Amino acid sequence: MTHPPGAGAWLALLLPATAAALYLAGWGVLRRRRTAWPRTRLLAAAGGLTVAAAALSPPLVAGTGEFPWHVAQHLALVMLAPLLLACSAPVTLALRTLPRRPRRGLLRVLHSAPLRVLTAPAVVVPLELGSLAALYLTPLSGLLHASPLAHVLVHEHMVLTGCLVSWLLIGADPMPRRLSTPARAAVLVLLSAGHGVLAKLLYAHPPAGLGAADEVRAGAELLYYGGDAIELVLAVAVMAEWYRRTGRRLRAEQRRALSAPVPTR
Amino acid sequence: MAEPGERPARTGRSVLTGVLIGIGAAGFVDETVFHQLLHWHHFYDRGTSAAGLVSDGLFHAFSWTAVVVGLFLLADLHRRRATVPVRVWAGGLIGAGGFQLYDGLVQHKLFGLHQVRYGVDLLPYDLAWDVAGVVLLLAGLALSRRPARQIAAPPW
């Protein structure tokens, strides 16, 4: 998993840099139209892309030869950055600012059958846990040393899966399906239980390809507690959304009750 | 139960809120005190079965999700002025006692996940663990029979 740090290694930063440029461009369009865009979303985008850039930066990537650093990179790229980016509502921003033709394309993707299948909890949970198990508990990670392309593709897949989870649980963007709050909580419990079990299996049976047994154990504990911390933030975000939504309904009910000429109860 | 002129309190939400917070609090004490501070419990025990790992994973995840959900439900009850404190406490004790008993009987003994403490005669530790669970549970059940009063009637 060690790469020789060179000029080429910095190329990985092009991805978050491009994303930041696009987001800022969209935000600029809204500003020129004098349309409001929540500042928290702008901050979430900045935070998420900064985390992603830090995790992809050559000094940290050079450290990922040591397993705990690799786990830190994994937590940042696959869990923390997607969590923040899901809050930044980039798809909503794109839908509001894109010209008509690409906008229609984006809408077609959002309504497409594959995305509908991909966002089903029965697909997301096994996909996420299966990918993680394949990466850490099988010889796959050893094979990735040999092929840089496979390495990039596998990590791309992990990041996209992480995004799918975050968007499904707390995303502010339109999705082919919206889960009820109890369903979100259930998905979160299942994922988090699965992460815990995988981290303990990794601790119990450190695969040879990942490094010295002590290092893998330290990494497994970081995966366990770090994953818990991020999942705690996810749980708070899921419930905060519920609290705001039911609060709006409650205030509407109270207004109706107060304006009614005769008390209804 | 309710005095004349007083609306009978709706208590289901309060009990549920208490149970969730109680489960979470017991899980938090288990993790903080016994795993992190005393180091009596181990992160992983060689004797752990696969079923034990899954049970522990699910329970660990459920307990801290429960405390988050429970605290938001409590905030929601408060803004509706529908909290019934005695029922929240009853639920909390039932949740904490139930968690403690499940942890002591199913996870420690049935699945052999890890023990209360290592290198000592286990019987007094196990008894103290499970009796604590039973006491919490009984106290919760007793509280749940006490008359319930809302802290305030809704303003509308």
Side-chain angles (χ1 to χ4, degrees), chain A residues 200 225 228 243 246 254, chain B residues 31 36 43 56 60 79 156:
Chain A
K200 288 205 175 176
Y225 289 110
D228 268 7
Y243 189 78
T246 48
Q254 284 170 345
Chain B
E31 177 67 36
Q36 303 296 333
F43 185 72
D56 180 55
H60 175 76
R79 77 178 167 188
W156 65 93

Side-chain angles (χ1 to χ4, degrees), chain A residues 147-166:
Chain A
S147 162
L149 180 65
H151 183 93
V152 168
L153 286 179
V154 164
H155 283 94
E156 200 98 317
H157 165 80
M158 299 300 293
V159 172
L160 287 177
T161 312
C163 286
L164 194 57
V165 169
S166 286

